Amino acid sequence: MNALRDLPTMDLLRSEQMCMVQLIIPVESAHGAITYLGELGLLQFRDVSSSSLGRYTDNTRYGKSNNKISLSAYFCNVYNSVDERLLFFSWQLNADKSPFQRTFVNQVKRCGEMARKLHFFKDQIHKAGLSFAANPVMPSAVDLEELEVQLAEHETELLEINANSEKLHQTYNELLEFKIVLQKAGGFLVSAQSRVAANERELDETVFSKEEYNESTSLLEQEMQSQHSKNAGLRFICGIICKSKISRFERILFRATRGNMLFNQAPSEEKIMDPISSEMIEKTVFVVFFSGEQAKTKILKICEAFGANCYPVPEDISKQTQVTREVSTFCLRFPLNICHLYIHGSRVGVLARLSELNATLDAGSRHRDKALTSIGYSLKTWSVMVKKEKAVYDTLNMLNFDVTKKCLVAEGWCPIFAKAQIQEALQRATIDSNSQVGTIFHVMDAIESPPTYFRTNRFTHAFQEIVDAYGVARYQEANPAVYTVMTFPFLFAVMFGDWGHGICLLLGSLVLILRENKLSSQKLGDFMEMAFGGRYVLLLMAVFSIYCGLIYNEFFSVPFHIFGESAYKCRDATCSDASTIGLVKYRDPYAFGVDPSWRGSRSELPFLNSLKMKMSILFGIVQMNIGIILSYFNAKFFGSSLDIRYQFVPHMIFLNCLFGYLALLIIVKWCTGSQADLYHVMIYMFLSPTDDLGENQLFWGQKPLQILLLLLAVIAVPWMLFPKPLILRRQHTERFQGRTYGMLTSSEVDSDVEPDSARHRHEDFNFSEVFVHQMIHSIEFVLGSVSNTASYLRLWALRQVMIPPLIFCFLYDVIFTNAFHVSSAWLIQNSLLYFMRRYFSLHGGEFDNILIKLIGLAVFAFATAFILLMMETLSAFLHALRLHWVEFQSKFYHGDGYKFKPFSFASLVEDD
């Protein structure tokens, strides 16, 4: 026992020792101190502005005194150099303040605004097709005001450039739409004018009658008739609208004019770019013929509501042709919008304006690219700077001012090994800020449980994440990841074992590991990111799969004579293959793994099923015993003798008296070669423990041993159920009846001051609740021992379904029927032939077509890569995960802790 006590502690088995520290930081050095701590990344801050501050006990300046002094008093002592004395000040806590009422909320808002501007710059650079600068230099200090002014100037400049560019592109779109309207609407107008020409001849016949009537009428009547004639003429409106709105637009026009209109439409052959979203939109040209001013007003309002653009098209055909020619010419030469210039200006003015706008666009585009390029050189650096500054001010908001308003008080958790580094960082901040008084750093007594922190590397990080996905370990609790590093890939390989598939998995993991530096700096997809994060898990799973595949003697489900010749041969000349029963053993057993002669034999399934089933039971019992032993180390570490005497001992007795005995029988049967039926032995051990075992007896004294083990298993159930709750009740009663007294230490505080203290929790002791909890735990363990042992049979069951019957049938037919050894290439090429011959009724002759062989190769490669290497890998991974989470970790692991999340700039960069 002394030798065991002298062994060094296992660092990975327990989380790092943590301590709660309190920092009293002068205001002038607060920003620098938090910045240095963020670069260090070893201190997790508590939000003391929204929770009560911890009590401070100075163990350095005041020795081991138990006097309770306030931090404000101590800080006043340092500043004013007064004598040591007890001073009581009340903290000005702002527990009811929202995040928008914190001290540094304005700085956080400014950082958020700068982050918005940087995101805007990033979008503009992506939109322009430019690239960012690689490997930006991280600055050591940040001038927030100068950076804010610089970003505001860049944003104003870009917004102005974008506004001008948007206007110019909008003008170009209008010109392009006008050209399309002229081209499409001209046809509608020509056909309409041809129909009107026929009506004009009818009007000419009544000219003389109208002239005679006009001579007899007054001037006022003539004016009214001429005006009425103009208003009653046929008019039209031309425009263009989105194709998706054309059907609704036509229905609304028909209802608004009560059918007194003629609607023509034609799809546009060119797509028009939206200047805001930069998307190409399909549009449709329309021409609406109507009569009357009221109809015109309605139609224009409807066009405005639907976002349709209307353009003035001349009624004269010659003018339409001239305008169309000019628009088309200018659109080809000058891609600008000058629609209003055609209507209100001359051609010479149009050309001058086009040249001017074209030069303006080119200059603006060059200026914008230049501005974005200069921003891109520093964009990543600025982003990191702003993120750091925002994180610093968010952390400063978690701190609290003392009553003197001269210092900030911070509380947090840090590993014990990091105290010296934190003090050094605080000292550097004091020197940089030229503060007269340094930051005060001291350790506090904490009542709440510390966070859990495991130092991991690239290899162990993925295994720790697998454990943390179930639940973060309680502080200083035994870490299952230490054993998961080996047991998880091994149990995976027991189900997946095939050294051909293992080699493929090994190559994939090696590719991820060799390209680790390159892939870590790239943004990967969800699947690739998951595979890259578990690259070392894949590596160990591949190595163990190759090992188990060699034991199973399976290379892509095909056995090979790797370690010598088979130990079996045919009895006589009539024995032609391994499917007969005429095999005899003529030499020593096969050197390593399963003898290839078992494959295809009639006794293959009974032999391999029995072997793998018993092997699964042994692996399960060993792993569950390791879990129970770890519960002993947990109880010993935390000083809980009750858990050792009334949980660990009965758990070990119950599990091993039943299932440990089963493992013993399996080993004895393998060693002795007995034909005993273990199913019969275990069943009648419960039903008829006093009956004679007969031919199922494996060793002398087996019957009394079974009776003894059964009695111990029965005794273990009340042993783990009743004593612990009763002892806890007695201890609670003695504690509060005055039978047991202890020294009141400095770590014990009054329950009215600290309502969450240990004393307060003892007063809430409820025997019924404790007893029900213990009863649930006992029932869960008893039933779980049976179900968990049966659950390990998935190691055998999943191994059986890894080789589908179809593939096994194929291997038997192709390999053993031909009675010669084949290469893997031949096997791959003939795989499809077998399936076609058997399942697609393609009988007769051999298929020597190279096309069929290539198709067979593709099918085999696809099945190997996507069915076995992906689906079966995922299936075995999930089953191994369940065995660790439920069967193994449930024996000792609570998983109700919380992670240590230090304030670190490195995590900000990784998240970005």
Side-chain angles (χ1 to χ4, degrees):
M1 293 300 294
N2 293 331
L4 293 176
R5 293 174 184 175
D6 295 337
L7 289 176
T9 58
M10 188 174 183
D11 293 337
L12 295 178
L13 185 61
R14 306 286 175 187
S15 61
E16 293 293 336
Q17 294 184 5
M18 310 293 290
C19 62
M20 177 174 282
V21 298
Q22 192 168 53
L23 312 178
I24 307 177
I25 312 173
V27 175
E28 59 271 14
S29 61
H31 185 277
I34 300 300
T35 302
Y36 282 126
L37 291 176
E39 293 175 354
L40 184 61
L42 289 174
L43 179 62
Q44 176 180 332
F45 288 92
R46 296 176 66 235
D47 191 357
V48 296
S49 65
S50 61
S51 62
S52 60
L53 292 174
R55 185 186 51 77
Y56 163 64
T57 302
D58 184 16
N59 295 324
T60 58
R61 184 176 177 87
Y62 293 94
K64 296 184 178 180
S65 174
N66 293 328
N67 295 331
K68 303 176 184 178
I69 68 171
S70 69
L71 292 176
S72 295
Y74 181 70
F75 197 77
C76 290
N77 287 337
V78 175
Y79 266 99
N80 302 323
S81 299
V82 297
D83 296 333
E84 298 175 359
R85 55 187 176 179
L86 293 178
L87 298 174
F88 297 93
F89 288 93
S90 62
W91 289 99
Q92 295 180 347
L93 299 179
N94 48 0
D96 298 332
K97 285 188 177 181
S98 66
F100 298 99
Q101 297 173 331
R102 302 292 177 95
T103 306
F104 300 95
V105 65
N106 292 329
Q107 287 81 354
V108 174
K109 290 180 180 179
R110 290 169 59 188
C111 293
E113 182 64 19
M114 286 189 288
R116 182 196 62 79
K117 294 175 183 177
L118 291 172
H119 185 70
F120 169 71
F121 296 154
K122 184 177 179 180
D123 291 341
Q124 292 296 312
I125 291 175
H126 279 301
K127 188 176 180 180
L130 302 177
S131 59
F132 300 95
N135 300 324
V137 179
M138 298 297 176
S140 58
V142 177
D143 190 347
L144 189 63
E145 295 181 357
E146 182 180 352
L147 179 60
E148 187 177 14
V149 172
Q150 191 174 1
L151 294 180
E153 292 176 354
H154 284 302
E155 185 187 28
T156 303
E157 182 182 8
L158 283 178
L159 289 176
E160 185 178 355
I161 294 174
N162 291 339
N164 294 333
S165 177
E166 184 179 346
K167 290 179 181 179
L168 292 174
H169 283 291
Q170 185 178 1
T171 307
Y172 171 74
N173 287 343
E174 292 177 358
L175 177 59
L176 182 60
E177 290 178 353
F178 185 45
K179 185 193 74 171
I180 296 173
V181 169
L182 288 174
Q183 292 175 349
K184 298 294 182 180
F188 298 142
L189 296 178
V190 170
S191 61
Q193 289 180 0
S194 63
R195 290 193 298 268
V196 173
N199 297 331
E200 290 180 350
R201 291 193 296 270
E202 298 180 1
L203 294 175
D204 291 340
E205 296 176 357
T206 59
V207 168
F208 297 103
S209 61
K210 288 184 178 180
E211 290 178 353
E212 294 175 356
Y213 176 75
N214 289 338
E215 292 177 355
S216 62
T217 56
S218 63
L219 294 176
L220 179 61
E221 292 176 348
Q222 292 179 12
E223 181 66 22
M224 293 176 61
Q225 290 176 1
S226 62
Q227 185 68 25
H228 177 72
S229 177
K230 293 179 181 179
N231 295 337
L234 187 64
R235 302 183 182 184
F236 65 90
I237 294 178
C238 300
I240 191 168
I241 191 174
C242 292
K243 186 177 180 180
S244 59
K245 301 178 181 179
I246 190 65
S247 58
R248 290 179 293 157
F249 180 65
E250 183 179 1
R251 288 197 299 268
I252 295 297
L253 287 177
F254 184 83
R255 294 173 183 174
T257 59
R258 299 184 180 182
N260 296 320
M261 64 94 187
L262 178 63
F263 187 85
N264 290 314
Q265 61 175 331
S268 173
E269 298 178 356
E270 301 180 33
K271 292 184 178 181
I272 300 174
M273 185 182 70
D274 187 356
I276 299 177
S277 62
S278 300
E279 296 179 357
M280 303 302 293
I281 302 175
E282 295 184 359
K283 292 197 173 185
T284 302
V285 178
F286 66 89
V287 178
V288 182
F289 296 95
F290 62 93
S291 178
E293 285 293 333
Q294 294 183 354
K296 179 180 179 181
T297 304
K298 292 181 180 179
I299 293 172
L300 290 176
K301 289 183 178 179
I302 294 173
C303 291
E304 182 180 0
F306 276 83
N309 298 326
C310 299
Y311 296 95
V313 178
E315 297 184 7
D316 190 357
I317 299 177
S318 61
K319 291 183 179 180
Q320 293 178 15
T321 306
Q322 181 183 359
V323 172
T324 303
R325 190 186 312 111
E326 293 177 356
V327 171
S328 301
T329 303
F330 296 148
C331 284
L332 292 175
R333 294 179 58 189
F334 308 101
L336 303 172
N337 190 333
I338 53 170
C339 174
H340 60 285
L341 297 177
Y342 281 111
I343 303 172
H344 302 290
S346 62
R347 183 171 181 176
V348 178
V350 168
L351 291 174
R353 183 64 184 277
L354 281 173
S355 301
E356 180 182 351
L357 292 177
N358 189 33
T360 304
L361 263 183
D362 293 339
S365 178
R366 290 193 300 270
H367 180 64
R368 183 185 60 182
D369 291 344
K370 183 179 179 180
L372 290 176
T373 303
S374 63
I375 293 173
Y377 286 137
S378 305
L379 184 62
K380 289 187 176 180
T381 303
W382 289 345
S383 299
V384 173
M385 291 167 60
V386 172
K387 283 180 177 291
K388 287 184 177 181
E389 283 296 298
K390 187 175 184 298
V392 168
Y393 284 113
D394 282 334
T395 304
L396 287 173
N397 277 332
M398 299 171 65
L399 277 56
N400 190 34
F401 275 103
D402 76 324
V403 292
T404 64
K405 297 295 181 181
K406 295 180 180 180
C407 65
L408 287 167
V409 181
E411 290 183 4
W413 296 98
C414 74
I416 291 179
F417 70 85
K419 290 193 295 183
Q421 302 177 45
I422 293 175
Q423 290 177 346
E424 182 182 357
L426 295 175
Q427 186 177 2
R428 281 188 292 150
T430 303
I431 296 174
D432 293 343
S433 62
N434 296 322
S435 177
Q436 297 179 358
V437 178
T439 301
I440 300 173
F441 175 91
H442 57 85
V443 180
M444 300 174 56
D445 293 331
I447 296 177
E448 64 184 62
S449 177
T452 302
Y453 175 49
F454 293 104
R455 281 190 284 183
T456 58
N457 51 34
R458 291 180 297 181
F459 181 81
T460 59
H461 176 74
F463 294 98
Q464 189 64 54
E465 290 296 320
I466 290 176
V467 174
D468 291 345
Y470 175 82
V472 180
R474 183 181 293 181
Y475 177 65
Q476 294 280 284
E477 185 180 17
N479 185 16
V482 177
Y483 307 92
T484 304
V485 172
M486 289 292 107
T487 58
F488 183 85
F490 176 73
L491 292 183
F492 168 87
V494 171
M495 295 177 280
F496 187 78
D498 186 299
W499 63 280
H501 296 148
I503 290 175
C504 296
L505 203 60
L506 178 64
L507 294 177
S509 62
L510 289 178
V511 170
L512 295 176
I513 293 173
L514 294 177
R515 302 183 62 188
E516 185 177 72
N517 295 331
K518 182 179 180 180
L519 294 176
S520 60
S521 60
Q522 296 179 357
K523 186 175 182 180
L524 307 175
D526 294 337
F527 178 78
M528 279 300 299
E529 185 177 359
M530 179 180 62
F532 178 73
R535 57 195 179 278
Y536 292 103
V537 179
L538 292 175
L539 176 65
L540 287 185
M541 291 194 306
V543 171
F544 279 102
S545 295
I546 295 174
Y547 171 74
C548 291
L550 291 174
I551 292 180
Y552 297 151
N553 199 353
E554 291 184 2
F555 177 80
F556 293 106
S557 303
V558 180
F560 284 91
H561 294 76
I562 303 175
F563 301 100
E565 295 296 328
S566 174
Y568 299 90
K569 66 178 182 179
C570 292
R571 186 185 302 273
D572 50 37
T574 60
C575 175
S576 59
D577 54 37
S579 61
T580 65
I581 59 175
L583 293 176
V584 293
K585 185 176 181 180
Y586 75 101
R587 54 180 299 176
D588 294 336
Y590 194 66
F592 185 83
V594 177
D595 195 309
S597 297
W598 286 106
R599 178 57 54 87
S601 64
R602 297 183 180 181
S603 57
E604 176 191 9
L605 289 180
F607 168 72
L608 293 181
N609 282 347
S610 176
L611 172 66
K612 295 174 182 178
M613 187 184 301
K614 294 180 174 64
M615 189 171 60
S616 301
I617 295 295
L618 293 178
F619 288 154
I621 293 174
V622 169
Q623 190 174 32
M624 287 190 293
N625 273 284
I626 293 175
I628 298 176
I629 292 172
L630 287 176
S631 69
Y632 164 77
F633 287 108
N634 273 339
K636 183 179 180 181
F637 180 83
F638 292 111
S640 177
S641 59
L642 289 180
D643 290 339
I644 295 177
R645 292 194 297 265
Y646 305 111
Q647 283 193 3
F648 166 72
V649 174
H651 286 181
M652 288 293 291
I653 292 175
F654 183 84
L655 179 66
N656 290 285
C657 285
L658 299 182
F659 303 103
Y661 174 66
L662 174 61
L664 176 64
L665 294 180
I666 292 173
I667 296 174
V668 171
K669 182 177 180 180
W670 281 350
C671 296
T672 60
S674 173
Q675 299 297 321
D677 186 2
L678 299 185
Y679 296 105
H680 183 276
V681 173
M682 293 302 298
I683 291 174
Y684 284 93
M685 176 181 176
F686 295 93
L687 297 180
S688 301
T690 58
D691 291 352
D692 187 18
L693 296 175
E695 61 181 6
N696 292 322
Q697 183 170 351
L698 292 169
F699 54 88
W700 179 84
Q702 180 179 355
K703 178 179 176 181
L705 177 62
Q706 289 186 174
I707 297 175
L708 176 62
L709 293 177
L710 185 61
L711 291 176
L712 289 176
V714 173
I715 294 173
V717 176
W719 189 350
M720 71 179 74
L721 174 60
F722 296 106
K724 185 177 178 180
L726 296 175
I727 293 175
L728 289 175
R729 181 182 180 182
R730 181 175 58 83
Q731 291 179 352
H732 172 75
T733 304
E734 291 178 354
R735 180 181 295 110
F736 292 97
Q737 284 184 353
R739 295 186 182 181
T740 302
Y741 295 95
M743 183 71 68
L744 182 62
T745 62
S746 61
S747 61
E748 295 180 356
V749 292
D750 296 335
S751 60
D752 55 347
V753 178
E754 297 287 348
D756 294 332
S757 64
R759 180 180 299 181
H760 185 74
R761 287 195 296 268
H762 285 306
E763 292 177 355
D764 293 338
F765 179 83
N766 190 333
F767 174 75
S768 60
E769 182 179 350
V770 172
F771 184 80
V772 169
H773 181 272
Q774 187 67 22
M775 181 175 62
I776 294 174
H777 173 78
S778 303
I779 296 174
E780 181 182 6
F781 180 83
V782 171
L783 298 181
S785 299
V786 180
S787 62
N788 293 345
T789 305
S791 182
Y792 277 94
L793 292 176
R794 69 183 69 239
L795 298 174
W796 153 72
L798 221 68
R799 179 62 222 161
Q800 292 303 109
V801 301
M802 285 294 178
I803 307 175
L806 187 64
I807 297 179
F808 181 82
C809 219
F810 153 69
L811 295 175
Y812 172 80
D813 182 70
V814 172
I815 298 176
F816 294 102
T817 302
N818 291 280
F820 60 85
H821 300 291
V822 296
S823 64
S824 59
W826 185 91
L827 178 66
I828 294 173
Q829 290 179 353
N830 286 272
S831 58
L832 183 65
L833 301 181
Y834 171 79
F835 291 116
M836 294 177 66
R837 185 183 301 117
R838 181 161 185 171
Y839 293 95
F840 295 98
S841 302
L842 297 177
H843 300 285
E846 294 292 335
F847 294 90
D848 295 329
N849 192 337
I850 187 63
L851 179 61
I852 296 180
K853 294 183 179 181
L854 291 176
I855 295 175
L857 176 63
V859 170
F860 188 88
F862 176 82
T864 300
F866 292 96
I867 296 179
L868 291 177
L869 288 182
M870 292 184 66
M871 295 179 61
E872 297 297 347
T873 299
L874 180 61
S875 175
F877 181 90
L878 295 177
H879 283 283
L881 198 65
R882 184 252 156 70
L883 290 177
H884 281 78
W885 281 359
V886 179
E887 277 70 31
F888 175 55
Q889 293 179 188
S890 62
K891 301 296 183 294
F892 68 97
Y893 189 64
H894 292 89
D896 55 355
Y898 63 100
K899 269 188 177 182
F900 174 62
K901 297 180 179 179
F903 172 62
S904 174
F905 290 153
S907 61
L908 297 177
V909 177
E910 292 176 359
D911 293 341
D912 184 54

